[in-house]
């Protein structure tokens, strides 16, 4: 069973604190597999890549937080659907690459529901539309319980990505669903589609 927690719009630290609470409870067997869904206030997060801080170009007033996930620096903010699956990878299914693949698959399926053909990239994680990144993926794992997750750009202000080299890439390679479609989208509708696709994909793993 996958329980969904919708946090609404919340600053990164508060959502991180909630992740840790659920993570520790899941490790102890006191909580079910849980999907936390949130829209963050603007923040730059820095992953475990040793060169990540070099990709902070001009962050300005936006907070910078170092996190446990793999990967480089990225931006979270309004107009993104951020999803954190906190699930136990059971015996015989302890494959982090497969878990990453599943998160990418959910993003690809969600894009398809709105008329966008998204794919994977052989060199980089995430989901891509016309060779531009539309969804970033970065995870951590403790005692075979996953946390962190993915961020799907729906109607995100892409100018924030020009303050960094997002995931070590040029900012021009980042896009959003609205930018690709050329029309507005309801963030809540996209969020619910992503939740449904994550639940379906993760239930098969």
């Amino acid at each position: 069973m996958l329980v969904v927690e919708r946090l609404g719009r919340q600053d990164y630290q508060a959502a991180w604190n909630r992740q840790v609470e659920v993570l520790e409870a899941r490790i102890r067997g006191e909580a079910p597999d849980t999907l936390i869904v949130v829209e963050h206030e603007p923040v730059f997060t820095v992953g475990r890549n040793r060169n990540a801080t070099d990709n902070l170009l001009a962050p300005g007033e936006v907070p910078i937080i170092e996190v446990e996930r793999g990967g480089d620096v990225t931006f979270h903010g309004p107009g993104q659907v951020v999803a954190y699956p906190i699930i136990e990878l059971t015996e015989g299914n302890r494959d982090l690459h497969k878990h990453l693949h599943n998160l990418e698959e959910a993003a690809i399926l969600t894009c398809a529901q709105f008329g966008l053909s998204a794919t994977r990239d052989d060199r980089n994680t995430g989901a891509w539309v016309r060779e531009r990144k539309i969804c970033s993926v970065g995870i951590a794992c403790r005692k075979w319980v996953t946390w962190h997750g993915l961020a799907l750009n729906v109607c995100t202000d892409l100018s924030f990505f020009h303050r960094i080299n997002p995931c070590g890439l040029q900012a021009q390679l980042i896009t959003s669903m609205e930018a690709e479609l050329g029309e507005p989208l309801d963030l809540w509708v996209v969020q619910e589609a992503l939740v449904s696709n994550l639940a379906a994909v993760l239930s098969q793993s």
Side-chain angles (χ1 to χ4, degrees), residues 3-78:
V3 172
V4 180
E5 284 194 18
R6 295 170 176 84
L7 301 185
R9 186 159 162 178
Q10 193 173 89
D11 70 80
Y12 189 88
Q13 190 64 52
W16 183 90
N17 290 343
R18 181 56 186 154
Q19 273 198 87
V20 172
E21 288 177 1
V22 177
L23 172 71
E24 292 176 346
R26 187 70 190 95
I27 289 170
R28 294 192 303 267
E30 298 171 358
D33 287 341
T34 302
L35 176 63
I36 294 176
V37 187
V38 63
E39 180 187 16
H40 286 307
E41 300 293 347
V43 64
F44 294 120
T45 64
V46 180
R48 296 194 306 266
N49 187 315
R50 63 183 180 183
N51 298 317
T53 53
D54 295 339
N55 288 316
L56 286 164
L57 305 179
E61 76 288 352
V62 178
I64 301 165
I65 298 178
E66 293 187 4
V67 294
E68 303 83 358
R69 63 164 172 80
D72 212 300
V73 60
T74 195
F75 169 74
H76 294 313

Side-chain angles (χ1 to χ4, degrees), residues 84-125:
Y84 299 126
I86 302 173
I87 63 173
E88 181 183 15
L89 300 180
T90 56
E91 193 75 34
N93 194 40
R94 290 176 172 172
D95 185 338
L96 293 179
H97 291 291
K98 180 181 178 182
H99 181 64
L100 281 169
H101 183 96
N102 286 340
L103 300 190
E104 292 169 341
E105 183 67 15
I108 289 168
L109 291 170
T110 301
C111 286
Q113 287 182 237
F114 295 88
L116 288 172
S117 178
T119 61
R120 293 180 179 81
D121 180 272
D122 291 339
R123 299 158 297 174
N124 301 286
T125 60

Side-chain angles (χ1 to χ4, degrees), residues 158-184:
L158 298 177
S159 68
F160 281 100
F161 289 99
H162 289 265
R163 303 189 191 187
I164 59 176
N165 288 326
C167 304
L169 304 169
Q170 295 297 310
Q172 292 83 356
L173 293 177
I174 307 300
T175 192
S176 70
M177 295 177 70
E178 280 197 357
E180 295 299 318
L181 290 168
E183 60 185 46

Side-chain angles (χ1 to χ4, degrees), residues 2-6 35-38 81-83 106 110 113 150 152 188-202:
L2 183 68
V3 172
V4 180
E5 284 194 18
R6 295 170 176 84
L35 176 63
I36 294 176
V37 187
V38 63
V81 178
V82 180
T110 301
Q113 287 182 237
L150 63 84
L152 177 61
W188 186 87
V189 173
V190 178
Q191 173 184 293
E192 290 310 292
L194 181 61
V195 167
S196 178
N197 286 319
L198 280 166
V201 170
L202 293 172

